[in-house]
Amino acid sequence: MSVKIEASEGGMDHNVMLGIGVVGALVCIYLVYLNTLMSTEVFAFFGGLAAIIVLWWGTDSIKNLCSYGLGTGVPSAGMIALGSGVVAMLFATKLAGISPLLVPIGCVVVAAILGAILGFISDKVLNMNIPVMTRMIAELTVVGSLTMLGFTAMVAGTFSFGDLITGATSVFGVEIASYASSVIGGCVLATIFMLGAIAIQHPFNACLGPNESWDRTQMCAIECGALSMIGVAVMSIAFLSIPAVVISFAISIILWGWSYSELIKLSKRDAYDWLDAQPIREVGGEQ
Amino acid sequence: MEEILFGIGISALAGALATVAGAAEDTESDIGSQGDPNSQVQLAPQMGYIHRIYNKAVSGEPPAYGLWVALAAGIAWALMAIQYNAILALIIGSAVAVFVQGVYATTAYLGRTASLAKFEQPVYIDILKSVTSVTMAHAFVAIFTTVTMCFLIIEALGHPFPLPLMGIVWGIALGAAGSATGNPFYGKERQYQKYDFGAGLPISASGDIVRYAEAGQRSSLDNGWFTSKGAGPASGICFGLIVFFELWRTILFEPFAAGWGAVIAGAVIIIIFMVIDRFVETWARKTYGPYTEETAAEEEATA
């Protein structure tokens, strides 16, 4: 059995974070549905907020999983989260055929089941023997699927499969429905996949070390989520009206600017010293 | 015939773009100490060697470049979807991707270095300012050339994949080529100059990286100066050949045996390269292997 090393002490209880992550993300994704109810597109940015909330929680899951000596496994954990999450997310969007309101809840349920199976295989069949493996892989699959669903909702303004496979292209000023210019047909999902996968593994990967601190790593998670949101906001120009894109973009920039400056303050607080153009310090005197 | 000539021409152009991309990618990652060299840079302060070398831990190179190129491709695709000029779309996409790359680089350096406070490693913000801009410039060259290459493959050769998907595929391939070909030059020859060539890395020397350059203290920019001569071009040739052979075999052999001709040609190319690689490896071991001579010299000394 692997030995657990405490990554950082203090901070919020993981179960509380899980609660905030799931509930917060579901509320935000349901708010995107206001677009359909009110025949507008300006609520798309709630999808991005949902992704930030789950990335914030998922960072702590990765930290829990990787505190069992999986140093180089941090990027892999991010990849498996999004890789398995995309399956659950695509399946859930099909549930819109029954009722659009089933999609976010269905996404969580399907991802949890899928993740539990994957976690069980990694832990018991591949014999990795990490006590939290099954639970954390299940959590990470939910995180991955909700990140994908959130960013997809943000880029397209909707989360039903039917809308994701139909886009409109303009030929001589005439709008023609076309699969190739849709979210799935144009493979914008590929970019969203990478934006989520790097954003989820980066905070812990970047902040690991003996002086890792909870609030700095979590602030990094918010920063990474907001940074991904900027990219998604720019891509939404292909699918949404200009006011919706501007609102998404402005909110992303503000969130990113705030979290980045906070992250720098926290790094300054935690760093041994903060030097500008100074020589190498020799520990224990000059050599 | 004309179609084939056109195809070969586009392949050559794509191969040339890929060569530039590979060279820039490896130089960027070596300046930032991403991938292979990063573990020793990270370890150095724990062994008592405080340094002024960039510590850029953004995933591994292949996933990181997967993101930069896929993001540039995604944004370019979205802008082209609203009838934006293709060249401008590619440039704007690459610019946004480079912004994201630069932000990730700074958070990685700040995060890792601040977490090493216990070992008295300070954060040098002049390093942060000077090195990040240089890695961003190299990354822009790598991303822009790769996205342009993907665009050419789709528009001129009629590849069925959409641009973002091509971006993720070739981005990961670019990162993998740079990581596999370029890093060995940097990792051993530049980071451990005081140890003999081919001596391997003794455990006692872990973290004992070279911290002082020819003139003053070493920063990561010196690594870029060094790796742009050997490692960068080697990675460039590697990635260029991958792209060129990949396109060339498809264009030339696709019409044979209902597409299977291209598959067979690919397998033959791989086998030829395996034979060449094996020959180069055994030749290098015979020519440069230091261990036998060294033990012989020691035996003479003791005798």
Side-chain angles (χ1 to χ4, degrees), chain A residues 50 55 98 100 113 116 138 180 184 188 217 238 246 264:
Chain A
L55 288 171
I98 306 168
I113 296 170
I184 291 177
V188 169
T217 309
V246 170
I264 288 185

Side-chain angles (χ1 to χ4, degrees), chain A:
Chain A
M1 206 189 93
S2 312
V3 182
K4 188 177 184 204
I5 309 154
E6 279 303 330
S8 64
E9 289 171 4
M12 203 182 279
D13 181 54
H14 184 69
N15 291 325
V16 177
M17 294 184 75
L18 187 154
I20 296 174
V22 173
V23 175
L26 284 178
V27 168
C28 284
I29 293 176
Y30 276 118
L31 285 174
V32 178
Y33 192 63
L34 286 176
N35 276 345
T36 316
L37 290 180
M38 301 172 74
S39 301
T40 176
E41 288 173 335
V42 293
F43 296 107
F45 70 89
F46 277 112
L49 297 184
I52 292 183
I53 294 170
V54 281
L55 288 171
W56 175 79
W57 151 46
T59 294
D60 207 58
S61 305
I62 286 204
K63 201 158 90 177
N64 263 311
L65 176 64
C66 295
S67 56
Y68 288 86
L70 293 178
T72 51
V74 181
S76 320
M79 284 294 158
I80 195 173
L82 270 283
S84 47
V86 69
V87 179
M89 172 258 171
L90 280 175
F91 180 84
T93 54
K94 283 293 269 184
L95 294 175
I98 306 168
S99 162
L101 296 177
L102 273 179
V103 174
I105 289 278
C107 184
V108 173
V109 174
V110 175
I113 296 170
L114 182 66
I117 296 171
L118 287 171
F120 179 80
I121 292 173
S122 324
D123 193 39
K124 297 289 184 291
V125 181
L126 298 176
N127 254 336
M128 290 176 85
N129 275 335
I130 295 172
V132 295
M133 190 85 168
T134 311
R135 180 182 162 185
M136 288 308 155
I137 295 282
E139 279 189 24
L140 284 172
T141 307
V142 177
V143 167
S145 62
L146 284 176
T147 308
M148 290 288 294
L149 191 66
F151 280 146
T152 307
M154 185 181 171
V155 84
T158 170
F159 45 74
S160 78
F161 189 75
D163 297 333
L164 296 178
I165 54 167
T166 41
T169 184
S170 162
V171 180
F172 299 116
V174 182
E175 294 280 314
I176 297 171
S178 129
Y179 169 72
S181 56
S182 66
V183 173
I184 291 177
C187 279
V188 169
L189 279 186
T191 306
I192 291 176
F193 176 91
M194 287 314 293
L195 280 172
I198 302 290
I200 190 178
Q201 59 81 25
H202 183 70
F204 183 58
N205 189 45
C207 294
L208 60 82
N211 293 94
E212 190 256 7
S213 56
W214 183 84
D215 51 354
R216 185 159 52 94
T217 309
Q218 295 309 127
M219 188 51 76
C220 192
I222 296 173
E223 188 268 336
C224 288
L227 188 63
S228 298
M229 216 175 141
I230 295 176
V232 177
V234 178
M235 285 194 297
S236 69
I237 202 166
F239 307 101
L240 302 180
S241 60
I242 292 296
V245 175
V246 170
I247 290 173
S248 290
F249 189 70
I251 289 174
S252 327
I253 287 279
I254 292 167
L255 259 177
W256 174 78
W258 167 77
S259 54
Y260 191 67
S261 65
E262 286 296 309
L263 180 65
I264 288 185
K265 275 183 214 157
L266 291 171
S267 303
K268 207 167 182 174
R269 179 199 72 189
D270 288 353
Y272 174 73
D273 212 344
W274 192 264
L275 303 174
D276 194 0
Q278 296 293 314
I280 296 173
R281 300 180 55 262
E282 288 297 350
V283 177
E286 288 297 318
Q287 284 182 348

